[in-house]
Amino acid sequence: GAGVSQSPSNKVTEKGKDVELRCDPISGHTALYWYRQSLGQGLEFLIYFQGNSAPDKSGLPSDRFSAERTGGSVSTLTIQRTQQEDSAVYLCASSRGGGEQTQYFGPGTRLLVL
Amino acid sequence: KQEVTQIPAALSVPEGENLVLNCSFTDSAIYNLQWFRQDPGKGLTSLLLIQSSQREQTSGRLNASLDKSSGRSTLYIAASQPGDSATYLCAIGGATNKLIFGTGTLLAVQP
């Protein structure tokens, strides 16, 4: 079946602009995660959605970052007033939730802020 | 705060060798540990997941072990192949299942 998909695959933007990154999880997966992979920082957790519960936003680096998940499926990560240090690969993952913990990752969105 | 370390950072072996990748973590209060591989420019592929109550998991030529008390996990790859070349990441899952990743081991298997 279809895996996790993300769009766009690449995004180049100018400092100060807003960007939106999209994630389509595997159908039926109730849990959705956003991670960021940058040089020198490795892979770090950003935000986690589980069903209708309030999201765990503890990994968001600043209030310029926000995310929403509509209808328990598609998620959008928004970065406002982008900075050069936001340049990274943004990875989305989903899992079935409950007792199933294996996370399945999308191919990522490569963001470059000039 | 959980910290995850992987050793070695890079490894190059000839085809056919058996090899071991190491992962250590500082807080033994984990729910699970996952091993992933990442190919250049690609996302992560889950290889094995070990629950905190388990000691090991096997999938084909891969075997992962977990020793919670000592804060260590190993990924054993038997009869390595050039197609195994990738970055291998271990990740710790906690109560909310958000993953804390290690820094990775870059593996090159030479034909």
Side-chain angles (χ1 to χ4, degrees), chain A residues 33 35 37 43 45 48 56 58 91 95 99-103 105-107 110, chain B residues 31-32 34 36 38 40-44 46 49 51 89 96-99 101:
Chain A
Y33 307 79
Y35 296 88
Q37 187 173 31
L43 253 161
F45 164 81
Y48 159 57
D56 178 350
S58 60
L91 292 162
S95 68
E100 175 53 59
Q101 298 161 344
T102 300
Q103 294 186 26
F105 281 76
R110 283 156 190 76
Chain B
Y31 275 57
N32 60 65
Q34 280 188 253
F36 295 88
Q38 185 174 31
K42 303 286 182 62
L44 278 65
S46 179
L49 182 148
Q51 301 286 0
L89 294 155
T96 59
N97 206 30
K98 60 187 181 187
L99 296 175
F101 284 85

Side-chain angles (χ1 to χ4, degrees), chain A:
Chain A
V4 177
S5 61
Q6 293 186 246
S7 61
S9 54
N10 293 280
K11 177 71 176 179
V12 181
T13 190
E14 294 178 349
K15 177 182 172 181
K17 295 285 181 70
D18 298 351
V19 295
E20 285 190 352
L21 312 179
R22 177 188 168 104
C23 173
D24 282 86
I26 294 173
S27 178
H29 280 194
T30 61
L32 186 148
Y33 307 79
W34 283 97
Y35 296 88
R36 178 170 72 174
Q37 187 173 31
S38 52
L39 288 176
Q41 294 293 325
L43 253 161
E44 52 183 348
F45 164 81
L46 296 177
I47 188 169
Y48 159 57
F49 296 89
Q50 172 59 60
N52 296 320
S53 301
D56 178 350
K57 305 178 182 180
S58 60
L60 295 178
S62 79
D63 58 8
R64 295 186 296 103
F65 287 72
S66 63
E68 63 177 18
R69 189 178 185 192
T70 55
S73 181
V74 172
S75 177
T76 302
L77 177 69
T78 301
I79 308 174
Q80 295 178 310
R81 305 180 302 282
T82 51
Q83 303 294 313
Q84 289 182 332
E85 61 262 28
D86 299 334
S87 297
V89 177
Y90 289 82
L91 292 162
C92 175
S94 70
S95 68
R96 288 193 180 91
E100 175 53 59
Q101 298 161 344
T102 300
Q103 294 186 26
Y104 300 87
F105 281 76
T109 293
R110 283 156 190 76
L111 175 66
L112 177 62
V113 182
L114 301 177

Side-chain angles (χ1 to χ4, degrees), chain B residues 6-71:
Chain B
Q6 291 186 246
I7 294 173
L11 180 63
S12 180
V13 300
E15 181 177 4
E17 273 204 6
N18 303 324
L19 58 99
V20 175
L21 307 180
N22 298 290
C23 173
S24 61
F25 47 95
T26 55
D27 186 348
S28 62
I30 69 171
Y31 275 57
N32 60 65
L33 184 147
Q34 280 188 253
W35 282 94
F36 295 88
R37 69 174 279 168
Q38 185 174 31
D39 294 280
K42 303 286 182 62
L44 278 65
T45 301
S46 179
L47 298 173
L48 291 164
L49 182 148
I50 310 177
Q51 301 286 0
S52 62
S53 59
Q54 297 174 322
R55 298 281 295 184
E56 67 177 339
Q57 282 286 335
T58 298
S59 176
R61 294 183 294 107
L62 305 180
N63 176 277
S65 67
L66 174 63
D67 184 342
K68 247 183 26 168
S69 60
S70 67

